[in-house]
Amino acid sequence: MAEGGENAPTRAPTSSRDVMLGERFKIRPGQTVMDMATPAAEAFVAVDQTQPDTAMTALVARPEQLPRVSACAQLKGLSQAGAAKLLEHGPIDWPDGTRRYAMVYETPAGAAILRRNASIQPIDPRVLVRSFIAPAASLLAEYVRRGVAHRAIRPDNVYWYDFGQSKLILGPCTAGPPGARQPAQFEPLELAICDPYGRGPGTAIDDVYSLGATALALAMGRWPMAEADDPAVIQRRIDVGNWDALAGKYNPPTDLYDFFRGTLADDPTERWTLPTLAKWLDGGRPALPRMTSLAKAREPFLFEGKLYRTGREIALALSKNPPQATGAIRTGVLADWARRALPDDIAAKKVQAMSVPENPAGRDGDPALVARICLALDPSGPIHISGVSVRPDGVASALARAYLSARDTLPAYDSMFRSGIHLEWVSAQQGPQGAGRQARRLTVYERLSRWVMEPIPGSGLERCLYELDQRLPCLSPLSIDQWVESPGEMLPAIDAAIAEGDQKGFDRHIAAFLAARGAADENALKGLMGGSADEEARMASLKLLAHLQETYLVGALPNLAAQCAVLVRPTVEQFQRISTKELIARKSETAVGQGDLQGLLNIVDDRVALDADKKGFDSAKTEYAAASERLSKADLVVLDRSRQATYRGRETATLAAGSLALATFFGVLAAYL
């Protein structure tokens, strides 16, 4: 049931105690299932408490690996011949203190039927059709009805279902991004040339190719081109086509000739669909695809010492050497060759036009120019930009991978969205594999450029990530170990981080996550990230968090509440009445202790109380001013009376002194006479 191509070492858990997934399944970390372990997930014995005798295996996603959660939701409980049954899935509390994602499957009776560099007795064509091809085709049709592609069909993910070896089944497809573990032999060429994490969800037609290539390996009893690495396999398939590259000198049975030719057609528009395959299984004779190959140039193109003859080869070569590619474009060397030798006149004219210095194709810099040239040379291939090769519908998993373990590739995605090349790629697609498949995502694609270029909280590449995949957990360092998939789960993670002293503020991932999943607006996010001293932004932040706590029925958040109390302290300081401040302080302490953000909001966002306090303060100021004025007038009256008394005293004293002097004079005069 392994999803990866090779066994991967299993990290010993810190505890052997059972871990519960839901109320039904026990996972035993101390009992590994080595044959099931993959680079994407560790494998452990699981026990179904309702059916303890049934063999179960739990795939537990490794750190920095993101399973297909949406696919899990669609495939859970699907009981149909042809695939291992997914019984349950969800995050679990792992013994090392992290939360990991687990998927419990029924365990098939046998190991993987054919691993790389191994060999088996070739399976009889009739047995192959009856035991593998027919049930797999029926299964894939059911997958289509559920809106999922398998994207992990290969020989080392095929098992004998029973000990009697009467039926083969496909292993799980949910432990990692779609197509990420597919060797180049078992992946359609247009997807194999992408980065493994950027191949996208794919379609049933992609699964049909993988089914044909896997059936070929079982019919031969060995992997095709087992000794070759992916680049060599891709180059060989470009040179001679799928069938000649994979089959080599193998002569297929007559019963399977039409099947192999239909499922392994080089042109995806010619490849058999599931209805066509069903018609063949019912004994019909569907029309066979035309034998086509990639158009070769009239003369090879010399680049970095090697000769290339197809547009796809040249696009791949240019994408692997961006600086040299820029030189070949800017100097006109590539344009001259395209004019002389490229068989596709439309592509040749595009290359020539974009090579002119004043052409708008170069307005977004050299990486975007190289990407546009590659798109002109190979329209059905991926976007090649700054060393990254990805399809737009694979950007979500590729971008998540970049944040987790390849941050040096982030500028490539930024350049892609800013230049709008992802939209140009959609416009360049034709046929059933092209624009029709992308139409449902086009609206989101159109918003990617805006999200990247807007310099506001909640935007950037992080916003693109969470909008493209609504089931992706938040990749903030604060929550990465807790598998936070909703805003309601985010709040306890933040609260716990604050308690542990790990909280250094709300980062860009949290802001983008809340904008995408919690409808947080710019103002609220600005307040959360400390980018504004504005009261409105601070209150918007508290309102957002309180709304999320109430909406998702989150329990007490005392640490987050304490931080929010500090956040809105300037608002509380607006109250002037000392008794009111003391009352608010007591109520706030109670709300913080209870971890009640809504209660805290009700206290500090009481506009009636604040208006009343303001009116009271204004009234007090008016009364104080009036009292001050009255006191000033009283002081003036007292001062005036004091002055009048002093003047009159002086006047009286002067008159008295004069009278006394006059009396004295007359007295002396009388005595003399």
Side-chain angles (χ1 to χ4, degrees):
M1 193 162 46
E3 189 177 337
E6 300 175 0
N7 285 335
T10 305
R11 185 178 65 179
T14 58
S15 171
S16 60
R17 63 179 175 82
D18 290 348
V19 175
M20 294 299 300
L21 175 58
E23 299 180 354
R24 177 179 168 185
F25 297 95
K26 289 183 178 180
I27 301 173
R28 294 181 171 166
Q31 299 181 33
T32 58
V33 184
M34 293 304 298
D35 188 60
M36 306 293 181
T38 79
E42 299 173 85
F44 303 92
V45 170
V47 177
D48 183 351
Q49 296 186 105
T50 65
Q51 303 177 45
D53 296 331
T54 302
M56 306 283 176
T57 298
L59 299 180
V60 180
R62 297 178 185 275
E64 298 188 352
Q65 293 291 334
L66 299 173
R68 297 172 65 186
V69 179
S70 296
C72 286
Q74 296 298 321
L75 300 178
K76 177 184 174 181
L78 173 60
S79 181
Q80 183 168 333
K85 184 178 180 180
L86 175 62
L87 300 171
E88 187 57 275
H89 64 96
I92 56 174
D93 295 317
W94 202 238
D96 62 4
T98 63
R99 280 177 67 80
R100 309 263 291 274
Y101 208 87
M103 296 142 282
V104 173
Y105 283 88
E106 284 186 350
T107 306
I113 190 171
L114 181 59
R115 294 193 180 277
R116 185 190 286 266
N117 298 320
S119 62
I120 60 172
Q121 182 68 29
I123 298 178
D124 181 87
R126 289 170 296 182
V127 174
L128 190 61
V129 173
R130 181 182 67 251
S131 300
F132 177 60
I133 297 175
S138 177
L139 173 75
L140 294 179
E142 177 59 29
Y143 273 39
V144 170
R145 285 189 284 273
R146 295 176 179 238
V148 179
H150 191 282
R151 303 291 283 110
I153 303 174
R154 56 181 178 272
D156 63 357
N157 198 29
V158 176
Y159 302 83
W160 287 112
Y161 177 74
D162 55 353
F163 291 106
Q165 297 188 348
S166 64
K167 184 167 54 176
L168 286 164
I169 61 172
L170 298 177
C173 61
T174 59
R181 300 298 171 188
Q182 289 288 88
Q185 293 93 320
F186 306 103
E187 190 78 342
L189 184 58
E190 60 273 13
L191 299 182
I193 60 180
C194 300
D195 296 340
Y197 284 80
R199 292 170 175 170
T203 67
I205 294 179
D206 303 323
D207 279 342
V208 165
Y209 170 86
S210 300
L211 178 63
T214 300
L216 174 63
L218 300 182
M220 294 192 302
R222 57 180 174 79
W223 275 40
M225 300 187 70
E227 71 288 348
D229 60 11
D230 280 2
V233 172
I234 290 171
Q235 186 60 55
R236 182 63 176 167
R237 289 173 63 184
I238 291 175
D239 290 340
V240 302
N242 291 334
W243 175 254
D244 288 337
L246 300 182
K249 296 180 180 181
Y250 172 72
N251 187 25
T254 304
D255 294 349
L256 294 177
Y257 177 80
D258 288 0
F259 168 78
F260 287 137
R261 184 170 168 183
T263 59
L264 299 179
D266 293 290
D267 186 346
T269 63
E270 295 279 338
R271 195 172 300 148
W272 277 6
T273 62
L274 283 175
T276 309
L277 179 55
K279 180 179 179 180
W280 177 80
L281 288 168
D282 288 339
R285 293 295 302 272
L288 294 178
R290 293 172 296 175
M291 300 295 289
T292 60
S293 60
L294 293 175
K296 289 183 169 56
R298 290 181 285 272
E299 65 179 70
F301 177 68
L302 178 63
F303 182 71
E304 293 294 293
K306 294 183 180 180
L307 297 175
Y308 302 96
R309 286 190 173 274
T310 67
R312 175 161 289 171
E313 285 180 291
I314 298 170
L316 283 172
L318 296 177
S319 70
K320 291 179 172 57
N321 298 279
Q324 292 80 5
T326 301
I329 297 168
R330 297 287 189 189
T331 58
V333 172
L334 181 63
D336 291 342
W337 170 85
R339 176 177 48 79
R340 296 192 314 270
L342 199 61
D344 185 344
D345 290 339
I346 296 177
K349 291 178 180 178
K350 287 182 178 179
V351 170
Q352 293 177 68
M354 286 188 286
S355 300
V356 177
E358 61 270 17
N359 191 277
R363 66 184 181 276
D364 300 309
D366 291 344
L369 175 61
V370 174
R372 290 188 169 102
I373 291 289
C374 290
L375 182 59
L377 293 169
D378 184 20
S380 63
I383 296 172
H384 299 289
I385 185 164
S386 299
V388 166
S389 299
V390 61
R391 295 171 67 89
D393 57 359
V395 166
S397 56
L399 191 54
R401 180 70 171 178
Y403 273 111
L404 290 171
S405 59
R407 297 185 68 87
D408 59 318
T409 63
L410 289 175
Y413 299 103
D414 184 81
S415 178
M416 180 194 305
F417 297 143
R418 287 180 183 274
S419 61
I421 292 175
H422 57 299
L423 298 176
E424 296 174 25
W425 183 92
V426 174
S427 299
Q429 305 312 298
Q430 297 177 354
Q433 291 289 95
R437 183 167 69 176
Q438 305 299 334
R440 65 185 182 276
R441 303 180 67 87
L442 187 57
T443 301
V444 176
Y445 290 164
E446 290 173 342
R447 292 200 295 264
L448 297 178
S449 298
R450 176 170 58 83
W451 286 328
V452 166
M453 290 188 286
E454 285 185 344
I456 61 175
S459 292
L461 285 175
E462 296 86 356
R463 178 67 176 274
C464 299
L465 184 65
Y466 300 116
E467 291 284 356
L468 287 170
D469 187 348
Q470 290 293 319
R471 299 300 301 271
L472 186 76
C474 183
L475 302 185
S476 166
L478 181 148
S479 61
I480 188 65
D481 291 331
Q482 300 304 314
W483 195 270
V484 171
E485 198 176 321
S486 74
E489 296 167 333
M490 174 62 75
L491 298 187
I494 295 174
D495 193 75
I498 296 173
E500 296 171 2
D502 294 337
Q503 174 66 356
K504 298 182 177 64
F506 293 80
D507 61 26
R508 292 177 59 88
H509 274 286
I510 294 177
F513 183 83
L514 293 178
R517 309 280 174 82
D521 62 23
E522 176 188 351
N523 214 23
L525 295 175
K526 188 183 296 184
L528 283 178
M529 298 183 72
S532 172
D534 181 74
E535 177 193 357
E536 184 180 352
R538 295 194 303 269
M539 292 306 302
S541 301
L542 179 55
K543 287 178 181 178
L544 169 65
L545 297 176
H547 171 72
L548 294 176
Q549 183 184 30
E550 189 172 31
T551 300
Y552 290 93
L553 302 178
V554 180
L557 302 167
N559 302 298
L560 184 56
Q563 191 170 77
C564 287
V566 174
L567 182 70
V568 297
R569 185 174 294 165
T571 302
V572 176
E573 292 299 324
Q574 294 181 33
F575 287 91
Q576 301 295 328
R577 189 183 295 273
I578 295 176
S579 60
T580 301
K581 281 188 176 182
E582 292 175 346
L583 178 62
I584 290 176
R586 290 194 298 271
K587 288 184 176 180
S588 297
E589 289 177 4
T590 301
V592 168
Q594 296 174 345
D596 182 5
L597 298 180
Q598 186 62 51
L600 180 62
L601 176 63
N602 293 338
I603 295 168
V604 301
D605 193 36
D606 189 345
R607 304 307 305 180
V608 174
L610 186 60
D611 290 343
D613 182 83
K614 186 176 183 302
K615 289 179 180 178
F617 182 63
D618 291 342
S619 177
K621 287 195 297 183
T622 301
E623 292 182 5
Y624 177 79
S628 297
E629 184 177 359
R630 289 194 299 270
L631 185 60
S632 297
K633 289 181 178 179
D635 289 342
L636 290 175
V637 170
V638 171
L639 178 61
D640 183 62
R641 290 178 177 176
S642 175
R643 287 176 177 173
Q644 290 183 16
T646 301
Y647 174 77
R648 289 175 180 173
R650 289 176 179 173
E651 186 179 52
T652 302
T654 302
L655 290 174
S659 299
L660 180 60
L662 186 60
T664 302
F665 172 75
F666 282 111
V668 173
L669 181 62
Y672 179 77
L673 293 178

